[in-house]
């Protein structure tokens, strides 16, 4: 199956589920979407969603962040927007923010407050994962468990978790 369809199914978990029960953008003027050009990393295979949607509010670029899989170096794609989007087309990273998947030292999937969010997001500064709206963290885990069955996704997650470790040192 084209990975786009897998992500489109996962996206639906977050169509009506948000970190808080109200629009948290009102707390911070949507700080996570500010900036002339915001970029969110796409997870392995997710760029196929944007090939399929051909949306006019974002472009996919190659980032400098890389991981290795099957002896090849792969650049992580970045979805670049201009601070507004079609809510139903936004990428997984935006849907789960300020949470993120993370592999602990035993290689087990955890869902943590994204250490990169701590400098911009009032939720990430003030709350723990289990204080978010009911089931939000559980839904994030539910989204990533099937993706973790894919070998390339696991390879990406290992590098991504090491990358998050660098931010965790500061927060
Ligand atoms: S920065 Fe945090 S509180 Fe503000 S809109 Fe984004 S997720 Fe919500
Ligand atoms: S894609 Fe949408 S939700 Fe994500 S950063 Fe851009 S405007 Fe914000």
């Amino acid at each position: 199956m084209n990975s786009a369809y897998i992500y489109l199914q996962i996206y639906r978990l977050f169509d009506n589920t948000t970190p808080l029960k109200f629009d948290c953008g009102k707390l911070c003027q949507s700080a996570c979407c500010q900036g002339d050009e915001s970029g969110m990393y796409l997870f392995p295979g997710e760029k196929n969603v944007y090939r399929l949607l051909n949306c006019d509010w974002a472009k996919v670029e190659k980032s400098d962040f890389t991981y290795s899989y099957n002896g090849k170096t792969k650049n992580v794609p970045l979805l670049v927007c201009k601070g507004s989007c079609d809510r139903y087309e936004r990428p997984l990273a935006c849907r789960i923010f300020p949470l993120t998947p993370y592999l602990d030292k035993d290689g087990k999937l955890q869902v943590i407050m994204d250490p990169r969010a701590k400098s911009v997001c009032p939720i990430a500064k003030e709350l723990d994962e289990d204080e978010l709206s009911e089931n939000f963290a559980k839904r994030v885990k539910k989204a990533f468990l099937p993706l973790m069955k894919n070998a390339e996704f696991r390879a990406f997650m290992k590098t991504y978790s090491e990358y998050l470790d660098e931010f965790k040192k500061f927060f």
Side-chain angles (χ1 to χ4, degrees):
M1 187 195 281
N2 183 328
S3 57
Y5 295 102
I6 295 169
Y7 279 99
L8 287 169
Q9 284 293 319
I10 291 171
Y11 286 1
R12 292 175 62 188
L13 288 169
F14 304 99
D15 279 349
N16 299 309
T17 303
T18 50
L20 298 180
K21 284 189 177 138
F22 59 92
D23 177 5
C24 58
K26 295 199 168 95
L27 295 174
C28 64
Q29 285 80 47
S30 301
C32 50
C33 301
Q34 299 300 321
D36 288 342
E37 295 222 318
S38 302
M40 303 297 277
Y41 289 131
L42 295 176
F43 292 100
E46 193 179 7
K47 70 178 176 196
N48 289 332
V49 170
Y50 295 92
R51 286 191 179 133
L52 190 74
L53 296 178
N54 198 20
C55 58
D56 58 5
W57 53 267
K59 58 189 173 189
V60 177
E61 294 182 356
K62 201 195 266 187
S63 78
D64 295 332
F65 180 34
T66 61
Y67 64 100
S68 297
Y69 177 64
N70 256 354
K72 288 187 185 156
T73 300
K74 302 222 171 180
N75 292 79
V76 177
L78 194 66
L79 187 83
V80 179
C81 71
K82 291 188 174 166
S84 63
C85 64
D86 179 328
R87 174 176 173 74
Y88 293 98
E89 293 181 347
R90 71 200 200 287
L92 188 53
C94 297
R95 289 167 191 257
I96 65 171
F97 192 86
L99 299 182
T100 192
Y102 174 78
L103 296 189
D104 65 18
K105 60 180 174 29
D106 299 321
K108 208 169 159 216
L109 178 69
Q110 305 291 345
V111 173
I112 62 166
M113 199 61 83
D114 192 329
R116 296 167 298 173
K118 303 246 174 180
S119 60
V120 288
C121 173
I123 295 177
K125 278 182 208 159
E126 302 295 335
L127 300 178
D128 291 326
E129 298 83 353
D130 56 7
E131 293 177 285
L132 302 186
S133 69
E134 202 185 349
N135 290 333
F136 187 69
K138 276 189 192 156
R139 273 183 190 243
V140 176
K141 193 143 191 190
K142 188 174 173 185
F144 284 91
L145 281 173
L147 294 170
M148 282 293 292
K149 290 184 180 158
N150 178 274
E152 180 169 354
F153 197 90
R154 287 197 301 276
F156 162 80
M157 276 304 303
K158 187 168 180 302
T159 306
Y160 178 70
S161 302
E162 289 162 1
Y163 160 77
L164 292 179
D165 284 339
E166 293 303 308
F167 290 87
K168 283 173 85 179
K169 286 179 194 162
F170 299 103
F171 295 99

